[in-house]
Amino acid sequence: MIPGISIIDEVHHRYAQNDFVYKLVYEHCEIVAEIATWCVEQKNLSVDKDLLKASCMLHDIGTYALFDNKGIDGNEHNYKQHAIFGAALVLEEGFDSRVADIIRTHVLMGLSKKEIEEGRFGMPQKDYFPTTLEARLLCYADRFHSKHPTFNSYDTFLERLAKVLPKQAEKFRQSAEEFGIPDIKALANKYGHPIR
């Protein structure tokens, strides 16, 4: 089953430690869904819109397992595992396995076993590649906002990523060519979050 918004909201409330953490995670998921939808509309992409929206809205559901009551992860090394936790959680909830597959591969722009070994990402050492258009859109859209909450400008994020993970930076650049660059200033004004 691909869940609708009311079920997704209910699941977020059930796993969130409190209203503050719920808002932090849920609003981030809303923003990512909005960016992914913008990309679809701008480029007239043929996607399963329900699958994309549900995946975006649930992609960080696994962070609740790592966050404290203030939305802070005490062990940043393990943070990347939120994708694995989230995928397991949506399967446990009885949701479509395609949603779980998309969530499982959303860290950065998709990680290879070699990148995990070299980067010490705190994840099982195997490939986590997005294999569908919906999964690639989630990876891309997610790079423009963090749960701090802050927006990332395209140029600044690409420059930062290129310094530490050049292969990931190249994937991000290619995705920008394919999907377009969203108007982060307009989104920052809408949500009241700063841009870095």
Side-chain angles (χ1 to χ4, degrees):
M1 163 184 78
I2 296 177
I5 285 299
S6 62
I7 293 172
I8 290 170
D9 184 57
E10 177 187 314
V11 170
H12 272 275
H13 271 105
R14 194 171 342 124
Y15 289 99
Q17 290 85 336
N18 55 42
D19 287 343
F20 173 77
V21 177
Y22 160 82
K23 184 178 186 309
L24 205 64
V25 175
Y26 192 84
E27 187 171 72
H28 166 71
C29 291
E30 280 184 316
I31 290 167
V32 169
E34 187 170 340
I35 293 170
T37 300
W38 177 89
C39 293
V40 168
E41 291 169 356
Q42 287 298 118
K43 297 295 184 174
N44 196 27
L45 302 172
S46 179
V47 300
D48 182 328
K49 291 180 182 177
D50 292 335
L51 176 63
L52 178 63
K53 179 136 189 176
S55 299
C56 288
M57 292 302 299
L58 288 165
H59 80 277
D60 274 353
I61 199 81
T63 58
Y64 295 125
L66 298 168
F67 278 177
D68 64 14
N69 287 339
K70 296 179 182 175
I72 298 169
D73 177 18
N75 187 348
E76 186 67 27
H77 178 70
N78 291 330
Y79 180 73
K80 302 292 188 268
Q81 291 188 31
H82 77 278
I84 297 166
F85 297 154
L89 191 148
V90 299
L91 288 175
E92 189 176 303
E93 290 288 335
F95 300 154
D96 193 309
S97 63
R98 295 175 300 166
V99 176
D101 292 341
I102 291 169
I103 290 171
R104 189 178 299 108
T105 61
H106 86 269
V107 174
L108 289 172
M109 299 300 295
L111 290 167
S112 69
K113 178 180 178 181
K114 186 175 181 183
E115 285 173 307
I116 291 168
E117 289 169 351
E118 291 172 353
R120 295 186 176 92
F121 285 102
M123 295 172 68
Q125 294 180 356
K126 59 187 232 175
D127 292 331
Y128 294 90
F129 293 125
T131 58
T132 65
L133 185 54
E134 292 86 356
R136 290 188 301 111
L137 279 162
L138 170 58
C139 286
Y140 180 64
D142 194 30
R143 305 289 65 82
F144 287 99
H145 188 263
S146 72
K147 289 175 290 299
H148 289 298
T150 309
F151 282 96
N152 296 313
S153 72
Y154 172 76
D155 292 329
T156 303
F157 187 78
L158 180 62
E159 184 181 322
R160 244 182 15 245
L161 197 56
K163 288 178 184 173
V164 291
L165 297 167
K167 290 178 188 174
Q168 291 289 322
E170 181 55 24
K171 291 180 202 175
F172 183 60
R173 189 194 61 72
Q174 289 173 358
S175 292
E177 287 180 7
E178 182 179 7
F179 301 136
I181 300 172
D183 185 350
I184 297 304
K185 286 183 183 177
L187 287 166
N189 288 336
K190 177 179 177 179
Y191 287 94
H193 299 170
I195 301 173
R196 62 176 168 179

